[in-house]
Structure formats: structure tokens, C-alpha cells
Amino acid sequence: MKIRLICYPVLLAVFGCGDISHQYTSSANVANVEIRRDLTYEAKDGFVDILKDGKLVARYVYKDTPRPYIYPLYAPNGEMVTRNYPMKAGVPGESTDHPHHRSFWIGFGDVNGIDFWAEGENTGKIVQTHIDFEPVSPGYWGIHTKNEWIGPDGKKVCEEERRYSFLSCDYGTLISTTITLSAMNGDVKLGDTKEGFFALRLAPTMQLKDGKGHIINSEGNKDDACWGKRARWCDYTGEVNGKVCGVTIFDTPSNYNYPTYWHVRDYGLFAANPFGGKAFTNDAEKDSSYTIRYGHSLRLVYIVLIHDGTLDAQTLNAIADQVAGKGRGLTKGASKV
């Protein structure tokens, strides 16, 4: 089944995968983006495989881990876009820094003072308690889970409901993630820290440092200048085995503190973090901590695009309008909510 989305950039140019020698432009000022429900899943003991034409696209892992994660994760050209470590050690050319960087995961460094970002005896864990495959739209499935954020003392800090949907489009694979955090045991404060929140650790050869990667965002920042900035989307593109591929994260206008801050590093860390205003700017007036009051919830939605080739800012803005919504960017006066 296909869903046609209409984008309205002045000129839409999409660069093909690999040698990026194929350029496609719309004959009019309208470009069609077709969303396809052509991914299937196979549920196993402790993980779920997401497949396209029988080939692995992604694997969601939830058993025997300090927190659920997605690994491996492949671009349409078949290359893996995230680091193997710590899930698979000893891969030539891979660093072993930050062992809590589990490919594609969710975590945060200050939840009622508890670290759910790092791993160790004194850190929290995110424990999945339920999984099913409920419809996200008529005739299609999504992964639906319930999780508990457990402190090092074994006590539940908050509850989480998470939904993933996996789709194809003309640009690659789209992964929509909805996270709902609920304060059912008292208030839950998400403190202001750079350590979080919605994150990937990219393949070494995609890195800005010692790789062939580049970073851009919706506000025109590039490479290292993207760190700590706010933007409606951020893209990290590089090479894996000589093939160009990239990852874009789109913030959505309904999210707290839209457009989000970006904890994106030259060594391949790539994270959207709406809670780190003071940490990123060193300005106490920009503190963006958030308290979920007892009995209430906070809902966040992020869209990830895994793509081949290089996508320019104009194209990414057009895609953002369609898959994430036409929220105001900083240049149009968006502010902390």
C-alpha cells in the first residue's frame, strides 16, 4: 500500500545512493514522496526483526540489556549506519568509548537525579514489561511496548509507553518513535543535562572526525557548529564501505521545547535533547528541565530517516514538512514552551 505525500519546495533535488551521480528534480514545483507499507516483522525471543523483501532492515532488542535498542540498522544500500560496539566487540577500526552508546536507543542522564544514560551499578535501567504489535493504521502493524524506568535501588521512577512504526519512502526507511513518559509514583523531573535523549551512535566511517561525515541542520549550521544548537531537523551523512548514506532526525512541532537542542558530536554521537538548554548554552535562563507532575504524562515524537546518498537542506525541509509537520523554525520565532 502506498501513501502519496505532496511536498512544496522551490526545487527538490534528491541525490541517488552510492556514487551520487544520479540527480532527480521535479519538473514542476511539486515533488511526490511516496510512503510504502512494505516492511514486515518477525518476533523472536528477546528481539524483533524488521524486514524488507526478506532482508533485515533493523532489529529491535529488549532482552538481557540495560535498555532496549535497535541494532543492527541498515541503509537502503545494505550498509550498516551505526557502530557495532558494545553489542559486537573487536570489529577492526571501531572505538570502544562510551559503551552505553547502544546503536539507536533512548536514555537520559538526570531523571529525579538518577542517570539513565550511562551504564553501571549506580545507574538506572529501562526494563520492558510488555510487547505487542498493534495496528498503527488500517492494515499495518507497529511495535508497541511498555517499559519501567528502574533506579539502582530497584524502585520504579516512571513508566513509559513506546511505539515504533517502520515505513519505506522514496528517500529510504522512516522510523517513527512515540515515547510517553508517565509519573505514576510521584513527580518526575527531567533535569537540564546534555546527556540524552533520543540517540544514535553512527558507524566510524560516517563520523566527522576521522571519517568522511558531515553534519547539517535546518538553521544552516554545519559540522561542529551544530552541537548544542536548536533546529527542527539535523542530518549526519558519511560513507560506509565507499557508499554514501546518512541519518536524519526530525523533531515534531508538538514536542516539548520544539525545535530541540542537538547533542551531535564529531565522533558519531547523534542525539535530540529538548532538556539541555542550560547545559548546551551555559546560560541559566535557558534551563529546559521539565517536571512531569504526579498522574500526568509527557509525550514526545521523533521521526528518523535512513537514506542513501546526500540530501540537501531544501529537500530535508520539504520532507520535514510532510513527515514531521510544518512547525516554526527558530528563524520564524519559535521559543521555549
Side-chain angles (χ1 to χ4, degrees):
M1 183 178 294
K2 296 181 179 180
I3 305 171
R4 177 162 291 185
L5 302 179
I6 308 299
C7 303
Y8 294 95
V10 176
L11 177 65
L12 179 62
V14 180
F15 295 91
C17 60
D19 62 4
I20 65 173
S21 61
H22 304 293
Q23 182 170 318
Y24 304 88
T25 60
S26 58
S27 57
N29 291 334
V30 176
N32 297 328
V33 182
E34 290 190 344
I35 304 294
R36 293 179 287 275
R37 298 168 172 169
D38 57 0
L39 299 177
T40 59
Y41 74 90
E42 291 183 0
K44 306 290 182 66
D45 181 20
F47 63 93
V48 181
D49 283 346
I50 294 87
L51 309 166
K52 183 174 182 178
D53 299 326
K55 294 182 179 180
L56 187 65
V57 171
R59 174 173 290 165
Y60 169 71
V61 181
Y62 57 88
K63 188 176 181 180
D64 299 327
T65 173
R67 56 187 57 89
Y69 59 86
I70 292 175
Y71 167 86
L73 178 62
Y74 293 99
N77 61 26
E79 299 299 337
M80 192 163 66
V81 296
T82 59
R83 185 178 70 168
N84 289 283
Y85 184 80
M87 289 70 59
K88 181 180 180 182
V91 177
E94 285 202 348
S95 65
T96 57
D97 62 273
H98 301 88
H100 51 283
H101 289 181
R102 292 183 177 269
S103 181
F104 178 7
W105 79 104
I106 293 164
F108 195 63
D110 182 359
V111 184
N112 284 357
I114 298 170
D115 189 350
F116 285 88
W117 179 251
E119 297 177 11
E121 290 185 6
N122 297 317
T123 62
K125 295 182 179 181
I126 302 173
V127 179
Q128 183 176 294
T129 59
H130 174 82
I131 185 169
D132 59 52
F133 302 92
E134 66 177 18
V136 293
S137 60
Y140 199 63
W141 58 274
I143 297 175
H144 169 232
T145 72
K146 293 182 179 180
N147 309 303
E148 294 182 348
W149 293 47
I150 306 295
D153 60 359
K155 295 181 179 179
K156 180 168 61 177
V157 178
C158 69
E159 297 179 1
E160 179 206 351
E161 195 164 7
R162 192 181 305 182
R163 287 175 169 86
Y164 290 106
S165 61
F166 297 81
L167 299 158
S168 295
C169 73
D170 288 351
Y171 300 99
T173 303
L174 286 168
I175 305 172
S176 173
T177 308
T178 302
I179 307 120
T180 303
L181 297 172
S182 298
M184 306 309 293
N185 288 33
D187 291 354
V188 173
K189 182 178 180 180
L190 301 161
D192 190 301
T193 175
K194 64 182 177 61
E195 305 297 357
F197 167 74
F198 181 84
L200 294 96
R201 177 63 186 265
L202 299 180
T205 55
M206 292 179 65
Q207 296 173 186
L208 177 62
K209 181 181 180 181
D210 301 325
K212 295 185 177 182
H214 288 286
I215 309 165
I216 61 172
N217 70 19
S218 62
E219 301 305 305
N221 302 118
K222 296 181 180 180
D223 296 335
D224 284 327
C226 293
W227 183 85
K229 300 299 194 304
R230 295 177 66 187
R232 66 191 295 235
W233 56 260
C234 191
D235 177 87
Y236 210 133
T237 293
E239 289 188 13
V240 181
N241 294 323
K243 298 178 183 179
V244 177
C245 45
V247 177
T248 313
I249 304 176
F250 301 96
D251 195 14
T252 60
S254 62
N255 283 350
Y256 167 69
N257 213 15
Y258 176 90
T260 191
Y261 290 93
W262 295 92
H263 188 20
V264 55
R265 293 295 203 185
D266 61 4
Y267 60 82
L269 174 63
F270 185 17
N273 180 1
F275 310 108
K278 182 174 68 174
F280 290 125
T281 65
N282 199 31
D283 183 348
E285 292 186 0
K286 294 185 177 179
D287 186 305
S288 56
S289 57
Y290 185 92
T291 298
I292 308 171
R293 299 302 179 187
Y294 173 63
H296 293 265
S297 300
L298 173 67
R299 180 176 180 267
L300 299 162
V301 181
Y302 298 99
I303 313 293
V304 174
L305 172 65
I306 314 299
H307 62 84
D308 290 345
T310 300
L311 300 181
D312 63 21
Q314 194 168 12
T315 301
L316 290 167
N317 274 321
I319 297 171
D321 287 347
Q322 296 304 306
V323 303
K326 296 183 179 181
R328 296 176 299 173
L330 285 174
T331 55
K332 297 182 180 179
S335 61
K336 177 180 173 180
V337 297

